Amino acid sequence: MDTSPAENNFRTYIDEHELALSDQIITLLWRDHPEYDRIFDEKGKGKCAQDIRYHLKYLAAAVDAESPALFLRYLEWVKSLFASLNIPRDTFLETLKTMKEVLGDQSSIALNYLDEGLKAYPELPDRHDSFITPENPLSGVAGNYIQALLKRDREGAMKIIMQEMEAGRDIREMYEYVFQVSQREIGRLWQTGSVSVAQEHYCTGATQLIMSRLYPYVFNHEKNGLTFIGTSVGDELHELGIRMVSDFFELDGWDTIFLGANTPAKDILRCIMDEQAKVIGISVTITYHLHKVREIIDSIAENPELKGVRILVGGYPFNEDRELWRRIGAHGYGTDARDAIRTARRLVGI
Ligand code: B12
């Protein structure tokens, strides 16, 4: 991304001052709204300060990525989350206005994004439909699978999947129409306050376990002689998406090296060199980790030994802003695992 030094400094400025800024915003909010003392106790006030630090990080990341869309999608996400927590809507709008006041002339672009956000906010949806849609060819299986997991019946969930596999179901369909959809649905249910963090962790752990049991269906394909490395960036804990992408590559005949979550940039580079990888797939879910994707891309571009490596990116923010992959300097992007294979094949000319 070709960010101007001033806007680049804005992200660094937020990183360095987020605590002081959130304190200042809280002080002004409580000065102008003494009634907040009746709405929030001390713990609630602390949570407000923490939320403000998230708002600042997402704003800085959107500015850094030159993407007003990313900030709007974040506001939409906050709107539905706060609605489910019964946090009065006006407090968030007041917070955004106070952020503007405190940020002053640090970044004119950030102020524009806040203005756009304030304008768009009333019309942003605060409810999202289920991810299990009637068009999903395995909607029944996905529904039963989620029900089993939410009842903490991992064995039952496993049986549902094994029955499908034994009946000859393509493993890719299982990934796309059952695992991916159910993970996203669990996320939606968490966001709307219908399931707890513990339930989400249980479902994710169970799905990872069940995916491992399906590995005999993944690792028995003819090889094409090419190597793919799949990784999430440093600090990123979401790894199921890139694991799915890596498995699709394996199924397509590639040798795959799945590095998982939270991989330091220097180790990713070392691995590309050691393994002579043709394509590296970098995944990011949390928008304020995007600059780490750019750091890896820049380090690859600066290294003459890695000239022929093709860089593929994907994950939540790339699906929210479909042109972002170009600005970040990647060679390609995939909306999902199936699309990742299509793009990679095109990039290496097979
Ligand atoms: C499981 C989960 C977690 C787990 C992750 C565990 C793990 N081992 O992966 C844990 C508990 C760690 C977690 C933590 C957090 N999470 Co979380 N999480 C989820 C959840 C429920 C499912 C993720 C998942 O497995 N998706 C299924 C996969 C298959 O889909 P996918 O990731 O999109 O991947 C596909 C495509 O995007 C694409 N793709 C992905 N990567 C790549 C890479 C390449 C190269 C290509 C080509 C394509 C590609 O292909 C994939 C396969 O088709 C999502 C809900 C959701 N909508 O996804 C929330 C979600 C992503 N999490 C969210 C949040 C907020 C968080 C936390 C900040 C919460 C907190 N306050 O602590 C932390 C952040 C932690 C961190 N530092 O990373 C929000 C993000 C919202 C936002 N606006 O940014 C979501 C959307 C939940 C929600 N509905 O609110 N989370």
Side-chain angles (χ1 to χ4, degrees):
M1 267 174 295
D2 206 11
T3 36
S4 74
E7 301 306 339
N8 209 351
N9 287 342
F10 180 62
R11 187 174 50 72
T12 316
Y13 170 78
I14 294 295
D15 273 354
E16 287 168 0
H17 297 89
E18 57 178 79
L19 265 176
L21 288 167
S22 64
D23 280 352
Q24 241 178 303
I25 294 165
I26 286 283
T27 306
L28 289 185
L29 271 172
W30 257 252
R31 183 201 66 190
D32 295 342
H33 299 277
E35 74 278 11
Y36 285 1
D37 268 333
R38 286 196 305 276
I39 306 177
F40 303 100
D41 57 13
E42 264 317 295
K43 201 168 149 212
K45 195 171 177 180
K47 282 196 170 158
C48 287
Q50 192 181 36
D51 287 340
I52 290 167
R53 292 195 281 281
Y54 277 120
H55 307 334
L56 290 166
K57 275 173 180 302
Y58 273 90
L59 174 63
V63 169
D64 202 28
E66 300 168 59
S67 179
L70 282 182
F71 190 57
L72 284 182
R73 296 286 72 80
Y74 172 69
L75 296 184
E76 187 179 320
W77 177 77
V78 173
K79 188 173 180 178
S80 81
L81 186 68
F82 281 11
S84 74
L85 296 170
N86 291 324
I87 296 177
R89 170 176 151 166
D90 283 355
T91 58
F92 184 51
L93 289 174
E94 288 307 305
T95 305
L96 293 179
K97 286 181 199 154
T98 312
M99 274 167 69
K100 259 187 77 180
E101 193 181 331
V102 167
L103 289 173
D105 54 8
Q106 275 302 330
S107 157
S108 59
I109 300 178
L111 295 190
N112 281 343
Y113 283 21
L114 283 165
D115 278 335
E116 290 300 312
L118 280 161
K119 227 189 289 159
Y121 193 79
E123 303 305 323
L124 296 176
D126 62 1
R127 292 175 63 86
H128 295 280
D129 295 335
S130 169
F131 282 94
I132 308 181
T133 58
E135 300 84 60
N136 180 340
L138 294 181
S139 59
V141 180
N144 293 340
Y145 180 72
I146 292 191
Q147 286 315 315
L149 288 182
L150 291 178
K151 280 192 276 168
R152 305 251 158 133
D153 179 11
R154 195 168 38 209
E155 286 309 311
M158 174 97 74
K159 250 190 223 147
I160 293 170
I161 301 302
M162 291 327 270
Q163 264 167 14
E164 286 292 319
M165 293 309 295
E166 280 153 22
R169 178 71 61 197
D170 184 324
I171 186 168
R172 297 177 186 85
E173 293 189 347
M174 214 53 149
Y175 274 34
E176 284 179 297
Y177 300 128
V178 181
F179 299 144
Q180 176 168 297
V181 165
S182 58
Q183 280 297 100
R184 289 181 177 169
E185 182 61 6
I186 299 290
R188 188 186 72 88
L189 293 173
W190 168 78
Q191 193 179 339
T192 51
S194 313
V195 307
S196 66
V197 171
Q199 280 172 299
E200 174 276 304
H201 281 25
Y202 176 85
C203 295
T204 301
T207 293
Q208 284 175 313
L209 178 76
I210 295 169
M211 281 170 71
S212 309
R213 296 263 178 99
L214 297 184
Y215 271 9
Y217 295 94
V218 176
F219 289 96
N220 60 2
H221 293 261
E222 224 173 273
K223 295 286 173 198
N224 66 10
L226 300 170
T227 299
F228 169 81
I229 296 177
T231 185
S232 298
V233 293
D235 293 335
E236 181 67 62
L237 298 182
H238 298 89
E239 63 176 4
L240 224 114
I242 187 66
R243 177 169 169 186
M244 226 176 243
V245 169
S246 301
D247 288 354
F248 267 57
F249 272 89
E250 191 70 39
L251 285 158
D252 196 49
W254 300 61
D255 263 323
T256 62
I257 296 158
F258 167 63
L259 300 179
N262 203 7
T263 319
K266 69 172 180 12
D267 297 289
I268 297 175
L269 256 69
R270 184 76 269 152
C271 187
I272 305 176
M273 280 191 254
D274 291 349
E275 304 295 337
Q276 307 258 300
K278 194 74 186 156
V279 177
I280 165 95
I282 309 172
S283 179
V284 67
T285 299
I286 299 297
T287 300
Y288 55 78
H289 295 154
L290 268 173
H291 66 282
K292 303 210 166 192
V293 179
R294 194 182 46 210
E295 279 162 22
I296 298 171
I297 293 179
D298 289 349
S299 322
I300 294 175
E302 281 160 16
N303 191 324
E305 280 182 63
L306 300 179
K307 220 166 169 256
V309 177
R310 303 290 87 190
I311 305 167
L312 203 56
V313 292
Y316 201 81
F318 293 106
N319 285 344
E320 308 228 294
D321 178 341
R322 299 288 171 118
E323 290 299 311
L324 179 60
W325 68 272
R326 293 183 198 276
R327 295 198 300 279
I328 214 165
H331 298 119
Y333 144 76
T335 46
D336 54 25
R338 202 175 280 270
D339 194 35
I341 302 297
R342 268 195 296 268
T343 312
R345 281 174 155 266
R346 186 170 39 77
L347 288 177
V348 300
I350 59 168

